[in-house]
C-alpha cells in the first residue's frame, strides 16, 4: 500500500478519537498485511498536514512508563472538539 493510501486510512481511524502510535501500528497490522514499525508510522504521521501530535501517553498498556508514546488526532477531530469547548465556555 502506498503512503498516500496509508495516510487516508489512518485519517479515517483518527476521525473517531485520538490514538497513540502503538495503537495505530497494531490497528494497521490488523487492517492490512503491513509490518510498519512504530517509527515508520511516526514518520508518516509527522508528514501529514491533516494529522497533529497532540501529546504523549506514558501508560499506553504496551510500553514501559519511562517511554512516552505520541498521541495523534486528525485536524477535523481537533477542530470539532475545540468548537464544542468554546460553546461550553460561552454557556457558563
Amino acid at each position: 500500500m502506498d503512503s498516500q493510501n496509508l495516510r487516508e486510512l489512518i485519517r479515517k481511524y483518527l476521525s473517531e478519537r485520538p490514538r497513540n502510535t502503538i495503537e495505530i501500528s497494531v490497528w494497521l497490522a490488523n487492517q492490512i498485511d503491513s509490518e510498519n514499525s512504530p517509527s515508520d508510522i511516526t514518520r508518516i504521521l509527522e508528514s501529514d498536514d491533516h494529522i497533529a501530535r497532540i501529546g504523549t501517553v506514558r501508560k499506553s498498556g504496551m510500553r514501559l512508563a519511562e517511554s512516552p508514546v505520541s498521541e495523534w488526532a486528525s485536524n477535523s477531530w481537533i477542530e470539532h472538539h475545540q468548537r464544542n469547548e468554546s460553546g461550553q465556555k460561552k454557556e457558563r
Side-chain angles (χ1 to χ4, degrees), residues 46-59:
E46 286 176 335
S47 67
D48 192 323
D49 292 338
H50 300 285
I51 297 173
R53 184 187 322 243
I54 60 171
T56 56
V57 179
R58 289 208 172 266
K59 294 186 178 184

